[in-house]
Amino acid sequence: MQAELIDIRNHLVQHSPFKDMPEELVNQITASIEISYVRAGTEILETGQPSSHMYYLRSGAVEIFRRSGELYNRIGEGEIFGQFGLLMQRQVRFPARALEDSLLYRVPADTFHYLFENDENFADFVEIEDRSRLRSALSRREKSNELMTSRVTRLISRKTVSAPTTVRLQEAARIMTDNGVSALLLIDGEGDSAHLAGIITDRDLRTRAVTEALPSETPVSEIMSEGLITIRASSYIFEAMLTMLHNNVHHLPVIDGHEVRGVVALADIVKYESQSSLYLVSNIYHQQHVKGLKKISRDVRDSFVRMVNEDANSHMIGSAMAGIGRSFTQRLLELGEENLGPPPVPYCFMALGSMARDEQLVVTDQDNAMILDDSFIPEEHDAYFLALAKFVSDGLAECGYTYCTGDIMATNPKWRQPLKVWRSYFTDWIDNPKAEALLNSNIFFDLDGIYGRTEFAEELKALVADKASNSQRFLTMMARNALNRTPPLGFFRTFVLEEDGKHQKTFNLKRRGTAPLSDLIRIHALACGSRAQNSFERLKSIGKTKLILEDDLGNLRDALEFISIVRIRHQALSLEAGEEPDNNVRPEDLSPFERSHLKDAFQVVSNAQKFLRFRYNTQVTRHV
């Protein structure tokens, strides 16, 4: 092959859809290509003219327009255009003009149609729009992970084993032994009135019956676990895994309507879940000292890297990492209470920010607070809670969760207050919104009670859901703050990079990508009165209200997933290279696939911010 053709081929295979194409097809395209050079301002395609080529942009920039004259897209190096005309009656659908001096490769119609008929990936790529292409890329990724495509019912290998709540301990143990199960479901009532009342496990028999030397005739109802965490039969294995992580349970009854289909145990998931995050959580609760927690905290990063390398999605990874972080916090609270004695009044320990949203990664600090019972008397009780907060905060720092630079921690007396004070905080933020105050308190609108009287946190969620949706001024102020951070996409679909400092020539995927997305999703969720905290769950809530069109919701989901996954992979690669992970990436370190689809995703963010600005009529000063 001539040197010029080799150069053309080598450039093609760096970009989709040619990068995964069989070599013989790439060679066929290369041999058929016609090279064209156009000056800036040249009309390349005009509406209605015969469509005879697909175009590949080797260098330069091209603008694509709708027939109305409205700008539709800007094409950069390695991207294609003109394909829709070849697919639709061979007439140009989207006119094109060179924005810069540009070098084009023209693929003749005959070659295009041959590829379309003989390469399924090529056909998929060229017949769908940019946003759909992003969705297609994510779908292919999801299909490679069995945790995400297999229903939880696949793990049920035997019939449900159950007994009435009146059964005695000895009989319950015999039933479990005879059936070879580690958990027994307990049913209250008979016939149509029968319902799942509780569960007893091997561990319950050991710790609650044998250790306490209870008589064998003791009713099992005295030691069974009630208020069960269950999962729907239609759920996927990864959802069962995240439910176990979030709630620290080892057995999940699987419910189909009113029927119990079976029980999924920790051991059932472990054979699919090779990332060991469930084992890690289990190990956390066996540690008796902070030293032990610090030692096993080194496994967190290994677990993260394994999940990334096995193609877990961002929701799985974020939820698993948040579950691990919760477990460290909960165990530290247990150890703190063992050292300090029982709390003088009831309290709830709150996680804030990414942990509350189930979107935590390995580069994270600690954001937390305490809600104290209204019987709290500072002079009598605060010394205990300060000591407990300090024990937990210092322990988390030992385990790799750095102190919050903004002092959003329970060690700060402002964030260690009775429930009535927290009610007044949220009421004032919503009823009397001030831009600067909301900028500093934004993180408190992602909250989750993770220990103690968690109903205190639920009460705050209910208050926020009720008041925020009825305060247009509050939502406008929140929207104004959310628009301060814009995606790093320039006018010509080029990345906008940091100009100085240690992160020069990079862009921050959190500050300029996932954070603006989670900010605007939060505002729409608050407007809808949703109590959801996770960004994907918030999008579901928003979808039920029709505030945003379903297509636009899908675009937001895909953009959040793709930006998150690129950020996650960047951190995993740093860890594998023995480097300290961060959120700053250089465009040249990204694959052509990632660069192209990041531009699509950032464009979604930009469009969503325009809608937010329109909906709340906001004028903002942009910050990077």
Side-chain angles (χ1 to χ4, degrees), residues 33-45:
I33 275 175
E34 303 164 6
I35 300 175
S36 174
Y37 178 79
V38 295
R39 295 281 188 185
T42 302
E43 299 291 338
I44 302 170
L45 296 174

Side-chain angles (χ1 to χ4, degrees), residues 21-223:
M21 190 176 285
E23 184 178 358
E24 62 272 16
L25 289 182
V26 177
N27 290 339
Q28 185 173 341
I29 298 171
T30 303
S32 71
I33 275 175
E34 303 164 6
I35 300 175
S36 174
Y37 178 79
V38 295
R39 295 281 188 185
T42 302
E43 299 291 338
I44 302 170
L45 296 174
E46 297 182 21
T47 304
Q49 73 177 154
S51 184
S52 58
H53 293 83
M54 179 185 78
Y55 292 79
Y56 174 92
L57 185 58
R58 171 65 188 259
S59 63
V62 172
E63 287 185 321
I64 310 297
F65 298 88
R66 299 186 188 277
R67 278 173 288 187
S68 63
E70 178 187 359
L71 180 66
Y72 170 64
N73 202 356
R74 289 191 175 91
I75 300 298
E77 179 183 349
E79 297 184 88
I80 62 171
F81 64 97
Q83 70 271 28
F84 296 121
L86 294 174
L87 291 169
M88 302 291 290
Q89 297 156 354
R90 295 206 175 198
Q91 285 190 333
V92 171
R93 293 186 59 206
F94 296 96
R97 180 191 306 138
L99 186 63
E100 302 173 1
D101 292 350
S102 300
L103 182 62
L104 305 172
Y105 292 160
R106 304 198 307 171
V107 178
D110 291 345
T111 303
F112 171 87
H113 287 294
Y114 180 84
L115 293 173
F116 187 84
E117 295 298 329
N118 291 278
D119 189 310
E120 184 177 347
N121 288 333
F122 178 82
D124 287 345
F125 188 91
V126 299
E127 70 179 349
I128 50 183
E129 302 279 354
D130 287 345
R131 301 290 86 77
S132 300
R133 192 159 67 236
L134 181 58
R135 170 90 293 270
S136 179
L138 292 171
S139 295
R140 287 195 297 273
R141 194 174 188 280
E142 290 171 358
K143 288 174 183 177
S144 67
N145 191 288
E146 196 169 4
L147 280 167
M148 298 175 60
T149 57
S150 299
R151 302 284 182 182
V152 70
T153 48
R154 180 172 177 175
L155 301 181
I156 300 173
S157 58
R158 56 171 63 89
K159 292 182 179 179
T160 303
V161 181
S162 62
T165 55
T166 54
V167 72
R168 308 295 176 175
L169 288 177
Q170 185 176 25
E171 178 64 11
R174 186 193 62 77
I175 294 172
M176 292 168 69
T177 301
D178 289 349
N179 288 276
V181 295
S182 59
L184 179 66
L185 296 177
L186 299 166
I187 309 298
D188 197 12
E190 297 180 357
D192 293 339
S193 64
H195 64 276
L196 181 62
I199 191 172
I200 185 173
T201 67
D202 284 339
R203 184 180 180 186
D204 295 328
L205 289 174
R206 293 193 309 272
T207 61
R208 300 180 185 178
V210 177
T211 303
E212 300 295 327
L214 295 179
S216 61
E217 292 302 305
T218 302
V220 76
S221 57
E222 291 191 14
I223 67 165

Side-chain angles (χ1 to χ4, degrees), residues 13 42 47 74 137 211 214 233 282 335 340 360 384 387 396 412 422 426 443 471 487 496 554 576 589:
V13 296
T42 302
T47 304
R74 289 191 175 91
T211 303
L214 295 179
S282 179
L335 293 174
L340 299 169
Q360 196 162 52
Y384 175 93
L396 286 172
N412 183 337
W422 280 104
F426 281 99
I443 194 170
S471 177
V496 177
E576 288 181 316
D589 291 339

Side-chain angles (χ1 to χ4, degrees), residues 481-492:
N481 286 340
L483 293 169
N484 283 336
R485 295 185 288 197
T486 56
L489 199 61
F491 186 72
F492 301 121

